[in-house]
């Protein structure tokens, strides 16, 4: 760095010579601050999304670097939110990247005192068996008056309001085909 | 709204900046109150009295919007002669059977017509009617069926036999307008002030502001947090607002409406495409068990022949075709017989009771945490501990996954880990950035979120989970067919699963189903497999397939309409090219009402949709919620059906009469008009009627679900305070998506209760110290926040203290505390089976709650002092001076 540049770098000089006479903006900026770059600038890509908390449906811009989410910002294009996010929406980066978020299936056997590991495929197979078995055992063809029921009340499901429409659709479709009717979600709670 | 829908609240502030008056009606002073022009701190649970007072104000001073009311509402219809009002029966309507706790709505009907149930309750009502005529059904059967009731959101219909008598002069003593006037006459400003614990001046300020701001030139909007539905009279809360808004001409017009501020990203979507027991996609009812029920019977009982519900046959057949594809044919009624049948309420709380009793053995929890998140959490945990198997899908180890290890009942010694037989599968879920899919926000708008990254480890989407679960079950059942030839009965039972269309394309190494392919099925195809663009294309002949008729067109032209993102600043203020709103991208429902009967805007200022006589079509800022070319002077021939039966000046196209209902002749379980009842648990007697609480509320007497005495019943003084539960800005419902986040946990680190300085002084509560709260269900502890924001109210000369309880906590995660939901009772609105979380009773005392067994002992000691038995609080009919 030349002497001239060095002197011009002094905050007091910048304050007098620059556009920040009160020294509360650019003149006071440190070298370190100048070197900082927003994570969003270096991101590999930005993907459009929607806040997963309340039903306002604020637009989100999800920044990805090295196949990891590095930042989530409000989407200024959204006519709903115009770039804003509330504390929850702004914290959703932590929601998806939290290091303590569960990544593995856990299994507790009947009467067990501890969690055990379980392979995902095995878990899926066991759950399918539980459904088939419960359904068979609790099946109702008709009621006591002979009216057709064609159902099982042996198992129930709760959830859906935090999920996608497509997910709710597959849930309702599968459950109904299985004859399960005790299907509910937060809309009732 | 500023607290719970902060970013939505920017539009309220925008309106305020342009001169709008903001009125906040809430027991608590919140950030919304701080920014409002008027805050009315009414007593929790008295909104019907408050709104009823406003209706009375509008009617008695002739401040209603005459042309709108005459043309667009059912004000002229004449009600049957044998109808009796709450005025005649001290708080009951005619038709109540105390034994069964149910209303028979036949006397509520119009004279000269029989209108079959409007929303949701349609199937039961109409078929019951038919069965009754045929003498087929026992009284007991009818009773249980009526309990399953309706789903209000979005659905409305009504089926006419005959033609209702009308009096266009509104003078007939039994016309809806006069019935309404008499019904609300007793809701005087003074009575409202007494019941609500406010001043007459406060009431009048609101009444003046509201009426001055309604009419041709101006509109008023009501926005409610869904806490409005969390009362044993929740549906009637919304009805009261609807009556008021119809009288003022504020429905279907810009700046008007009744706007539900829903609390989850896609809670609207999960009602439209319901994971709910009583409806199928698009608010088609689940069929009930009837003798000889066939597709025609199901549709005709329900559809109504007039209005858009007249096309229910096309919607139902297209859904069945979407689910069972080529197997569904006219010969087999499009597999209508594959649908399971309802016989009673199968709502969440009915399930909880069954779990406690041991008759429901398996449970899927999908982003839901009933161990702390549902009313009477303790009862919910006893249910979980009594399951055979439980699948929990979530981000974190929520309390519903770990109750067997560290739940409060382990601490109290009521349950031991080794004795709990529940087999628990915890499967980690993928987050919104790790999957493609659409959310439907609170304005019915679908927005697509795109996958940004792959989930880690075993994390998977629900789309993945349910698709592959279905695939594995199908493989196993198909295999069983070849291996061990099932009985013909079993093969028949498995047909609906094996015949299901379940061949979605998958993507990537995890074989994730293609979410767009699912959306395409929801939106629908014609016979040639071309994407449909409108539900008006749906056919009854099996040539169209559509998974949810109200979402038809969301994938029009093979384009994902929900992913449209034209920046807001580059389009009109209605922003029609951002996302896609059901139905048909209409942004304001019933927007035909934004023009006068002749099709001209009510005023230039409020122009939104109008009839262009030259082009002979409706034009304006939005997609018409009306047949686009039906002229205002269209009068339907008497034999017209479906949408053709709706006149050109009748905006409410889902209703059989095309009109907005000031009075509901059928479809509601607790009366054709709203009446103020005290909450199921209340420290005061009803000042309006001898009838204390909603007589038709659903009660669940159970040792784990005792109720407090109310009003003048001895023992009510043991639980003298009202408590109301709510959310904070920094947390989300039961905390599963917020208590594990460091930022949010730092902002709101622990559970607290809000009390007034007066209550703090009376009970010796210290700011920052601990308090114990006791209800007949549980005892919990909370940090004390003494604040002027909570204000005692005076009712009938007594001071009533109100306590505020945010309900986000549980024992797991970073921010911990007792769950406020422990205190809540299970007692339900009879229409929609929703519990009261906003106005219940408790006691409060300084200090921490007891640990171990002593905690339960404290609850029991209170129950004894209050004289609580299995019957307490379950009375249906009451007279002045206590239960009859
Ligand atoms: S950012 Fe806040 S207001 Fe917006 S959707 Fe998310 S939770 Fe709701």
């Amino acid at each position: 760095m030349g002497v001239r540049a060095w002197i011009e770098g002094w905050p007091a000089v910048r304050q007098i010579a620059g556009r920040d006479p009160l020294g509360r903006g650019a003149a006071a900026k440190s070298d370190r601050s100048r070197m900082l770059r927003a994570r969003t600038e270096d991101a590999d890509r930005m993907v459009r999304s929607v806040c997963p908390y309340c039903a306002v449906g604020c637009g989100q811009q999800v920044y990805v670097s090295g196949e990891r989410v590095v930042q989530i910002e409000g989407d200024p294009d959204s006519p709903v939110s115009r770039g804003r996010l509330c504390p929850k929406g702004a914290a959703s980066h932590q929601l998806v990247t939290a290091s303590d978020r569960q990544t593995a299936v856990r299994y507790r056997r009947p009467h067990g005192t501890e969690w055990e590991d379980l392979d995902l495929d095995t878990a899926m197979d066991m759950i399918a068996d539980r459904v088939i078995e419960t359904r068979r055992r609790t099946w109702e063809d008709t009621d006591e008056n002979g009216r057709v029921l064609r159902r099982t009340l042996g198992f129930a499901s709760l959830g859906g309001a935090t999920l996608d429409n497509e997910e709710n659709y597959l849930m309702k479709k599968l459950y109904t085909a299985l004859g399960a009717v005790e299907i509910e979600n937060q809309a009732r709670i | 709204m500023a607290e719970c829908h902060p970013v939505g609240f920017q539009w309220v502030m925008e309106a305020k900046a342009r001169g709008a008056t903001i009125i906040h009606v809430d027991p608590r002073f919140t950030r919304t109150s701080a920014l409002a022009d008027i805050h009315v701190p009414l007593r929790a649970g008295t909104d019907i009295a408050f709104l009823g007072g406003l209706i009375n104000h509008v009617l008695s001073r002739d401040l209603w919007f005459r042309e709108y009311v005459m043309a667009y509402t059912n004000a002229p219809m004449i009600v049957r002669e044998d109808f009796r009002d709450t005025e005649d029966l001290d708080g009951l309507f005619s038709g109540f059977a105390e034994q069964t706790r149910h209303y028979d709505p036949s006397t509520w009907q119009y004279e000269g017509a029989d209108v079959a149930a409007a929303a949701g309750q349609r199937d039961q009502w109409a078929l019951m009617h038919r069965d009754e005529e045929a003498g087929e059904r026992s009284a007991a059967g009818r009773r249980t069926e009526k309990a399953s009731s309706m789903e209000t959101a979005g659905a409305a219909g009504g089926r006419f036999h005959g033609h209702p008598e009308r009096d266009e002069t509104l003078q007939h003593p039994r016309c809806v307008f006069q019935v309404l006037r008499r019904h609300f006459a007793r809701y005087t400003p003074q009575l409202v002030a007494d019941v609500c614990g406010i001043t007459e001046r406060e009431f009048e300020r609101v009444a003046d502001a509201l009426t001055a701001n309604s009419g041709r030139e101006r509109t008023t909007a009501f926005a409610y947090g869904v806490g409005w539905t969390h009362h044993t009279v929740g549906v009637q809360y919304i009805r009261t607002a609807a009556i008021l808004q119809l009288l003022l001409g504020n429905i279907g017009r810009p700046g008007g409406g009744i706007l539900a501020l829903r609390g989850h990203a896609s809670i609207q979507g999960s009602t439209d495409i319901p994971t709910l027991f009583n409806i199928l996609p698009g608010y088609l009812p689940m069929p009930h068990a009837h003798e000889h029920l066939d597709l025609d019977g199901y549709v005709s009982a329900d559809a109504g022949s007039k209005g858009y519900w007249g096309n229910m046959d096309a919607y139902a057949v297209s859904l069945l075709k979407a689910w069972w594809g080529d197997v569904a044919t006219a010969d087999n009624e499009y597999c209508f017989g594959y649908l399971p049948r309802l016989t009673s309420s199968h709502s969440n709380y009915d399930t909880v009771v069954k779990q406690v009793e041991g008759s429901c053995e398996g449970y899927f929890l999908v982003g839901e945490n009933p161990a702390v998140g549902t009313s009477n959490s303790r009862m919910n945990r006893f249910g979980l501990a009594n399951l055979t198997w439980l699948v929990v899908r979530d981000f974190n180890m929520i309390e519903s996954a770990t109750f067997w290890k560290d739940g409060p009942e382990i601490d109290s010694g009521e349950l031991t880990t080794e004795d709990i037989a529940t087999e628990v599968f915890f499967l980690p879920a993928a987050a919104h950035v790790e999957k493609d899919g659409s959310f439907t926000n609170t304005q019915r708008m679908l927005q697509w979120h795109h996958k940004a990254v792959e989930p880690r480890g075993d994390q998977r989407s629900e789309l993945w989970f349910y698709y592959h679960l279905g695939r594995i079950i199908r493989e196993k059942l198909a295999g069983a067919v070849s291996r061990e030839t099932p009985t013909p009965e079993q093969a028949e039972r498995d047909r609906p699963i094996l015949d299901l269309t379940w061949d979605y394309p998958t993507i990537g190494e995890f074989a994730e189903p293609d979410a767009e392919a699912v959306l395409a099925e929801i939106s629908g195809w014609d016979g040639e497999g071309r994407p449909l663009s409108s539900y008006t294309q749906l056919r009854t002949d099996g040539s169209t397939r559509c998974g949810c008729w109200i979402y038809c067109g969301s994938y029009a032209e093979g384009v994902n309409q929900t992913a449209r993102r034209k920046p807001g600043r580059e389009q009109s203020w209605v922003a029609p090219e951002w996302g896609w709103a059901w139905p048909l991208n209409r942004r304001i429902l019933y927007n035909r009402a934004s023009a006068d009967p002749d099709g001209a805007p009510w005023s230039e200022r409020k122009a939104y949709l109008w009839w262009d006589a030259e082009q002979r079509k409706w034009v304006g800022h939005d997609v018409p919620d009306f047949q686009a070319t039906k002229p205002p002077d269209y009068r339907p021939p008497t034999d017209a059906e479906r949408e053709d039966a709706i006149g050109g000046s009748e905006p409410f196209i889902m209703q059989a009469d095309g009109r907005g209902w000031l009075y509901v002749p059928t479809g509601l379980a607790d009366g054709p008009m709203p009446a103020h009842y005290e909450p199921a648990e209340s420290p005061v007697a009803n000042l309006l009627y001898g009838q204390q609480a909603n007589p038709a509320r659903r009660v669940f007497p159970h040792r784990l679900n005792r109720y407090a005495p109310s009003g003048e019943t001895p023992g009510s003084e043991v639980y003298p305070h009202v408590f109301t539960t709510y959310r904070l800005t920094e947390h989300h419902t039961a905390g599963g998506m917020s208590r594990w986040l460091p930022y949010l946990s730092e902002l709101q680190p622990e559970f607290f209760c809000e009390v007034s300085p007066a209550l703090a002084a009376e009970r010796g509560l210290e700011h920052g110290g601990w308090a114990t709260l006791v209800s007949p269900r549980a005892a919990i502890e909370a940090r004390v926040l003494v604040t002027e924001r909570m204000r005692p109210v005076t009712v009938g000369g007594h001071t009533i203290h109100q306590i505020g309880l945010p309900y986000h906590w549980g024992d797991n995660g970073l921010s911990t505390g007792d769950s406020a939901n422990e205190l809540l009772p299970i007692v339900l609105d009879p229409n929609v089976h929703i519990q009261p979380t906003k106005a219940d009773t408790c006691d409060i005392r300084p200090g921490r709650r007891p640990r171990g067994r002593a905690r339960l002992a404290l609850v029991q000691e209170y129950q004894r002092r209050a004289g609580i038995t299995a019957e307490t609080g379950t009375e249906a009919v009451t007279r002045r001076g206590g239960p009859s």
Side-chain angles (χ1 to χ4, degrees), chain B residues 385-671:
Chain B
N386 207 22
L387 295 166
T388 307
W389 53 270
L390 168 67
V391 178
V392 179
R393 295 189 44 82
D394 220 298
F395 298 146
N396 301 300
M397 275 295 169
I398 55 171
E399 290 80 0
S400 298
T402 66
F403 69 94
W404 50 272
K405 211 174 166 23
D406 51 21
E409 288 69 34
I410 306 291
D411 177 52
S412 70
E414 292 167 275
L415 297 171
T416 52
T417 299
E418 291 79 2
D419 290 339
I420 296 174
T422 311
E423 181 183 36
V424 186
F425 299 88
F426 178 90
L427 278 73
H432 70 298
V433 297
E434 295 150 0
K435 59 189 183 185
D436 290 320
S438 64
F439 289 143
T440 304
N441 84 345
T442 200
Q443 70 179 107
R444 293 173 287 102
M445 180 171 67
L446 286 74
Q447 300 186 91
W448 194 260
H449 57 83
H450 297 270
K451 179 156 99 173
V453 293
E454 290 291 346
R456 286 176 291 155
D458 295 337
Q459 294 167 342
R460 295 290 184 277
S461 69
E462 306 321 300
L463 206 64
W464 183 94
F465 176 76
Y466 282 96
Y467 168 69
H468 288 287
L469 181 65
R471 178 184 58 76
I472 296 165
I473 289 173
R474 280 156 54 91
E475 281 165 11
K476 284 181 187 268
L477 294 180
V481 173
S482 58
R483 226 180 20 247
E484 39 163 289
T485 331
T487 60
E489 292 83 33
Q490 191 55 50
E492 181 57 24
R493 288 167 194 160
D494 293 346
R495 288 253 60 86
I497 311 169
L498 296 173
D499 290 344
L500 198 63
T501 56
W502 204 254
D503 46 3
Y504 301 101
T506 58
I507 309 167
E509 61 168 318
F510 299 143
E512 173 78 6
D514 180 357
E516 279 213 8
V518 179
L519 181 68
E521 176 177 320
I522 293 170
S523 177
W525 302 285
D526 69 10
E528 266 83 65
R530 289 176 304 222
L532 297 171
S533 56
S534 166
Y535 61 84
T536 55
Q537 295 169 298
L538 298 176
R539 295 288 168 260
T540 57
D541 60 5
S543 63
T544 51
R545 299 181 185 195
C546 176
C548 180
W549 72 273
I550 57 176
Y551 282 23
C552 187
S554 55
Y555 204 75
E557 289 159 29
V559 174
N560 185 343
Q561 305 289 332
T562 74
R564 297 181 309 159
R565 282 193 165 83
K566 183 171 178 178
R569 56 189 170 277
E570 291 171 21
Q571 43 175 331
S572 83
W573 55 279
V574 175
E577 292 171 80
W578 184 276
W580 184 89
W582 71 261
L584 289 182
N585 205 28
R586 293 163 181 162
R587 303 291 165 135
I588 294 183
L589 286 182
Y590 299 127
N591 55 29
R592 162 69 181 87
S594 68
D596 68 15
D598 298 332
W602 288 106
S603 66
E604 277 315 306
R605 201 171 167 270
K606 286 284 167 185
Y608 192 68
L609 191 78
W610 55 90
W611 176 253
D612 185 321
E614 251 161 56
Q615 299 186 61
R616 295 203 61 75
K617 63 176 192 182
W618 292 94
V619 296
H621 303 295
D622 198 353
V623 179
D625 191 13
F626 205 64
Q627 276 162 286
T629 57
K630 182 187 273 183
D633 59 5
Y634 171 78
R635 295 289 169 270
T638 38
D639 58 348
E641 300 239 296
R642 307 179 185 235
E643 59 270 32
D644 294 337
I646 300 291
S649 60
E650 294 175 330
F652 295 90
I653 56 172
M654 300 310 292
Q655 304 280 87
D657 55 4
R659 287 165 178 256
W661 283 3
L662 297 168
Y663 170 98
V664 181
T666 186
L668 292 178
D670 50 2

Side-chain angles (χ1 to χ4, degrees), chain B residues 161-180:
Chain B
H161 302 287
H163 292 273
E165 288 178 20
R166 298 181 187 189
D167 173 19
E168 304 293 346
T169 70
L170 304 189
Q171 295 308 310
H172 191 291
R174 282 188 284 113
C175 77
V176 162
F177 186 77
Q178 296 297 341
V179 169
L180 207 63

Side-chain angles (χ1 to χ4, degrees), chain A residues 45 47-58 60 62 64 67-69 75-82 84-88 91 94-96 98 101-108 110-115 120 124-132 134-137 139 141 147-151 153-179 181-189, chain B residues 7 10-11 14 145 151 230 262-267 269-270 273-279 289 323 337 340-341 343 347-348 351 354 361-366 368 389 395 397 401 404-405 417-418 420-424 426 428-429 431-432 434-442 445 447-450 452-453 456 458-459 462-463 466 476-477 490 492-494 496-497 501 504 515 519 521 547 567-569 578 729 731-732 737 741-743 832-835:
Chain A
R45 62 179 182 273
V47 178
R48 305 283 191 137
S49 194
V50 181
C51 176
Y53 287 99
C54 90
V56 170
C58 295
Q60 293 193 331
V62 180
V64 180
E67 294 313 308
R68 305 279 295 186
V69 173
D75 186 346
D77 289 348
S78 166
V80 172
S81 54
R82 299 187 295 190
R84 292 143 166 106
L85 293 174
C86 82
K88 291 189 289 293
Q94 270 187 348
L95 173 75
V96 300
R101 216 180 114 190
Q102 296 293 319
T103 57
V105 173
R106 309 294 282 151
Y107 176 69
R108 187 255 175 177
H111 307 287
T113 55
E114 292 302 329
W115 286 114
L120 178 60
M124 292 298 289
D125 198 68
M126 289 169 75
I127 294 166
D129 284 343
R130 301 297 177 274
V131 171
I132 292 171
T134 295
R135 179 176 178 270
R136 288 243 159 109
R137 206 176 40 249
W139 187 257
D141 279 319
R147 295 179 304 176
V148 172
L149 298 176
R150 199 162 192 152
R151 71 179 186 197
L153 302 180
F155 66 95
S157 173
L158 182 63
T162 58
L163 310 179
D164 298 338
N165 291 315
E166 295 72 23
E167 297 177 325
N168 276 287
Y169 182 75
L170 286 201
M171 287 168 73
K172 185 73 177 181
K173 183 175 175 180
L174 179 63
Y175 284 140
T176 307
L178 287 166
V181 297
E182 299 199 325
I183 310 307
E184 288 275 271
N185 77 50
Q186 184 74 26
R188 190 98 57 198
I189 298 167
Chain B
V7 181
Q10 67 176 301
W11 299 105
E14 190 99 348
E145 288 199 9
E151 181 58 45
H230 285 198
R262 310 198 69 175
H264 288 67
S266 201
I267 196 156
S270 65
I273 296 178
T275 31
L276 294 171
F277 84 89
N278 55 338
I279 41 176
W323 285 7
R341 308 297 205 249
T343 44
S347 83
N348 171 61
T351 298
K354 284 178 52 200
E361 58 186 58
Y363 205 21
F364 290 93
L365 289 178
V366 197
E368 198 91 33
W389 53 270
F395 298 146
M397 275 295 169
W404 50 272
K405 211 174 166 23
T417 299
E418 291 79 2
I420 296 174
T422 311
E423 181 183 36
V424 186
F426 178 90
H432 70 298
E434 295 150 0
K435 59 189 183 185
D436 290 320
S438 64
F439 289 143
T440 304
N441 84 345
T442 200
M445 180 171 67
Q447 300 186 91
W448 194 260
H449 57 83
H450 297 270
V453 293
R456 286 176 291 155
D458 295 337
Q459 294 167 342
E462 306 321 300
L463 206 64
Y466 282 96
K476 284 181 187 268
L477 294 180
Q490 191 55 50
E492 181 57 24
R493 288 167 194 160
D494 293 346
I497 311 169
T501 56
Y504 301 101
L519 181 68
E521 176 177 320
R569 56 189 170 277
W578 184 276
T729 309
H731 278 291
H732 190 243
M737 288 167 70
L741 274 58
Y743 291 155
V832 289
H833 319 282
I834 293 179
Q835 73 295 320

Side-chain angles (χ1 to χ4, degrees), chain B residues 683-700:
Chain B
V684 302
N686 193 350
L687 297 179
L688 276 143
Y689 312 103
Q691 180 60 36
Q692 172 75 8
N694 184 353
R697 71 192 185 282
R698 295 190 61 210
V699 295
F700 293 77

Side-chain angles (χ1 to χ4, degrees), chain B residues 239-256:
Chain B
R239 281 290 315 149
T240 325
I243 294 168
L244 188 57
Q245 287 292 66
L246 284 169
L247 288 172
L248 294 171
N250 284 329
I251 300 285
R253 301 179 60 203

